[in-house]
């Protein structure tokens, strides 16, 4: 009944696309309904790029693209058109099939995967997806020679690219806990480099406005202060949010802060099909909003309740109960299995909520796999997580120790240290922010690009 009343809640699975009425909005940015998308498919738009061109759906923030693809695939299936599950034109296998084949055949480079399983040279869809798989089965630095060319825009710089061409810097603050000295260090870095600072929803401090060539110097200062990369740029674990729990709160039943810190430090750097967020609340009042996360933990009088596959974003979902009143050791074991099962079996760019919705048997099947080990793979999943924990390294610490990786962080290859003249800022509320086109002093808008002066023949120009 909920899917009929609120059909977009089922965006990740085939059933959701099937029951979606024509009047339901798929793309809120451009106000495109499901009926318009179906009409475009009937008119010949049989790929996501073709649908974007025909309807403008998915050309805004992009969060509706999974639902757009689900509607497309369902319409094509209705019309008797075979819908491929391949990762892209270069690989006929799905992400899950590629993961299993790469693991079985021990393929540890993209060139080896391409030679054995694919065709062509790869693209911006398959390269990051395979890089993510390699990070699990053959751990290595994202900017190692055989990995660097596979990364997307953010991972190339180990930072999030912003609209004005600068980058953001996000140190990890496990569980939201931070010492006064670390806060002072972050503040001094922000002040010295003129960075815009903001507290994030994940209980961290985000520093905006760093130039590409400034990133190594910024991270050298932060790492010297005992901080490390929060990996906010990667399809990986972001944060494990927490309340203050039993330590300070009079309602707290367990030490939620300590557990959140332990879980964030355990799963930091875990590459996945999409970003992962967690939360730990010390009681049912849910101050950490744990049940809106990919995994959430609630304290009880007898231990912990584990919830999985929730998220906020374009289509919010509440997480579902996986295990009840378990101790910390059992909770960690179940989380190890759950996260690695997700990493193994989810599609490219599929969050945990639509992954569960598309799973045959739903939460009952997931519980049978994670808790009851119905597939007999629990030991493998736990071993994979142990390998991840044992091989984790801070990516920025490794960059600072490697001159070849450091050489990547230059705005201009032939002019190291020269700032990008296109980056213009203005002051607002005592902080720097990107200037809009109307507030760029002395800068004309050049539709066709800059005019290049040409000297007379034989002249000095």
């Amino acid at each position: 009944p909920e899917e009929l009343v609120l059909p977009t809640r089922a965006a990740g699975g085939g059933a959701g696309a099937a029951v979606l009425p024509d009047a339901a909005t798929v793309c809120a940015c451009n106000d495109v309904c499901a009926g318009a998308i179906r009409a475009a498919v009937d008119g010949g738009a049989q790929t996501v790029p073709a649908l974007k061109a025909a309807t403008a759906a998915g050309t805004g923030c992009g969060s509706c693209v999974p639902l757009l693809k689900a509607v497309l695939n369902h319409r094509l299936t209705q019309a008797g058109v075979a819908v491929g599950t391949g990762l892209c034109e270069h690989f006929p296998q799905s992400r899950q099939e590629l993961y299993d084949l790469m693991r079985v055949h021990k393929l540890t480079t993209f060139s080896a995967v391409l030679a054995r399983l694919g065709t062509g040279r790869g693209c911006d869809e398959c390269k990051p997806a395979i890089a993510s798989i390699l990070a699990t089965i053959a751990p290595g630095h994202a900017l190692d020679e055989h990995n660097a060319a596979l990364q997307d825009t953010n991972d190339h710089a180990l930072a999030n690219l912003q609209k004005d061409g600068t980058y953001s810097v996000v140190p990890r603050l496990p569980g939201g806990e931070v010492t006064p000295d670390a806060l002072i260090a972050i503040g001094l870095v922000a002040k010295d480099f003129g960075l815009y600072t903001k507290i994030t929803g994940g209980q961290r401090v985000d520093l905006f406005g760093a130039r590409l060539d400034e990133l190594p110097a910024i991270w050298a200062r932060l790492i010297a202060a005992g901080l490390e990369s929060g990996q906010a740029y990667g399809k990986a674990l972001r944060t494990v949010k927490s309340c203050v729990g039993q330590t300070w709160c009079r309602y707290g039943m367990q030490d939620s802060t300590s557990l959140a810190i332990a879980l964030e430090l355990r799963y930091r750097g875990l590459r996945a099909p999409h970003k992962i967020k967690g939360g730990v609340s010390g009681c049912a009042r849910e101050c950490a909003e744990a049940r809106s996360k990919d995994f959430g933990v609630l304290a009880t009088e007898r231990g912990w309740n584990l919830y999985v596959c929730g998220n906020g974003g374009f289509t919010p979902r509440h997480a579902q109960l996986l295990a009840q009143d378990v101790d910390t050791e059992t909770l960690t074991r179940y989380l190890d299995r759950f996260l690695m099962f997700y990493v193994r079996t989810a599609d490219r760019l599929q969050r945990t909520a639509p992954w569960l919705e598309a799973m045959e048997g739903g939460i009952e099947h997931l519980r049978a796999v994670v808790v009851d080990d119905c597939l007999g793979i629990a030991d493998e999943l736990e071993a994979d997580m142990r390998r991840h924990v044992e091989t984790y390294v801070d990516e920025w610490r490794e960059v600072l120790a490697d001159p070849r990786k450091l050489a990547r962080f230059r705005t201009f290859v032939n002019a190291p240290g020269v700032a990008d003249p296109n980056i213009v800022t203005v002051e607002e509320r005592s902080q720097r922010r990107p200037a809009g086109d109307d507030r760029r002093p002395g800068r004309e808008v050049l539709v066709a690009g800059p005019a290049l002066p040409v000297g007379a023949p034989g002249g000095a120009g």
Side-chain angles (χ1 to χ4, degrees), residues 129-147:
I130 290 176
S132 175
I133 297 173
L134 290 173
T136 302
I137 65 176
H141 196 281
L143 298 185
D144 284 341
E145 290 184 7
H146 61 283
N147 287 331

Side-chain angles (χ1 to χ4, degrees), residues 55-401:
T55 67
T59 58
C61 71
S63 58
C64 65
V65 171
L67 179 56
L68 180 68
K69 186 174 181 180
V71 174
L72 167 66
N73 289 345
H74 182 262
R75 195 65 169 180
L76 290 175
T77 301
Q78 282 184 316
V81 178
V83 177
T85 59
L87 190 63
C88 67
E89 62 183 294
H90 304 104
F91 290 95
Q93 306 89 348
S94 67
R95 184 190 177 279
Q96 180 181 356
E97 290 168 340
L98 276 174
Y99 188 105
D100 292 336
L101 289 169
M102 289 167 62
R103 184 169 56 88
V104 169
H105 295 297
K106 295 181 171 58
L107 304 177
T108 58
T109 64
F110 180 77
S111 58
V113 177
L114 195 61
R116 180 147 191 168
L117 305 174
T119 58
R121 298 183 177 181
C123 63
D124 58 0
E125 291 189 9
C126 61
K127 286 181 178 179
I130 290 176
S132 175
I133 297 173
L134 290 173
T136 302
I137 65 176
H141 196 281
L143 298 185
D144 284 341
E145 290 184 7
H146 61 283
N147 287 331
L150 308 179
Q151 309 300 334
D152 64 17
T153 301
N154 290 335
D155 289 278
H156 268 301
L158 302 183
N160 279 335
L161 179 65
Q162 304 301 313
K163 63 184 293 183
D164 66 339
T166 62
Y167 293 84
S168 64
V169 173
V170 189
R172 184 174 299 285
L173 302 178
E177 185 178 82
V178 59
T179 65
D181 286 340
L183 273 178
I184 291 170
I186 292 172
L188 289 175
V189 167
K191 185 175 182 179
D192 292 345
F193 287 89
L195 305 178
Y196 173 91
T197 58
K198 189 180 188 304
I199 305 298
T200 74
Q203 299 180 332
R204 299 194 289 195
V205 181
D206 207 340
L207 310 176
F208 290 89
R211 301 195 315 265
L212 182 68
D213 57 288
E214 292 177 324
L215 291 175
I218 290 171
W219 276 110
R221 292 267 300 270
L222 294 174
I223 288 172
L227 296 161
E228 67 176 30
S229 172
Q231 218 172 18
Y233 47 82
K235 299 294 186 289
L237 177 79
R238 296 294 176 84
T239 64
V240 181
K241 191 173 182 179
S242 77
C243 63
V244 295
Q246 187 183 57
T247 306
W248 293 95
C249 180
R250 55 199 174 101
Y251 300 114
M253 296 184 178
Q254 305 287 349
D255 187 356
S256 56
T257 304
S258 292
L259 179 62
I261 292 170
L263 294 179
E264 185 164 337
L265 294 179
R266 182 172 184 80
Y267 302 129
R268 59 185 171 177
L270 178 65
R271 297 279 177 168
H274 211 300
K275 62 186 176 184
I276 301 171
K277 297 182 179 181
V280 183
S281 288
C283 73
R285 286 172 174 79
E286 258 284 63
C287 291
E289 302 165 331
R291 280 181 286 186
S292 65
K293 304 293 190 289
D294 296 285
F295 66 87
V297 183
L298 265 65
T300 71
E301 292 182 352
R302 294 179 291 277
W304 307 99
N305 286 352
L306 174 59
Y307 295 82
V308 295
C309 300
N311 65 246
F314 176 71
T315 307
R317 280 96 158 182
H318 264 105
Q320 300 185 47
L321 182 64
L322 184 70
Q324 195 168 7
D325 292 327
V326 295
D327 58 33
T328 302
E329 182 180 354
T330 303
L331 172 80
T332 305
R333 185 166 64 251
Y334 288 169
L335 264 176
D336 286 357
R337 297 176 184 178
F338 162 72
L339 290 172
M340 274 303 172
F341 188 54
Y342 164 65
V343 169
R344 277 194 181 191
T345 61
D347 288 336
R348 171 181 171 270
L349 300 181
Q350 187 178 42
R351 291 288 300 271
T352 57
W355 168 68
L356 179 61
E357 289 173 354
M359 185 183 298
E360 186 175 352
I363 189 65
E364 296 301 330
H365 175 67
L366 183 60
R367 184 179 294 110
V369 173
V370 172
V371 177
D372 303 326
D373 191 21
C374 69
L375 299 180
I377 60 173
D379 290 342
E380 290 182 16
L381 299 176
E382 292 176 26
D384 287 347
M385 186 60 76
R386 280 196 300 273
R387 181 172 65 247
H388 162 73
V389 174
E390 292 167 359
T391 59
Y392 167 78
V393 293
D394 177 15
E395 289 179 332
W396 264 107
R397 184 181 292 274
E398 295 287 299
V399 167
L400 296 177

Side-chain angles (χ1 to χ4, degrees), residues 24-37:
T25 299
V26 172
C27 176
C29 295
N30 295 299
D31 194 23
V32 183
C33 64
I37 292 170

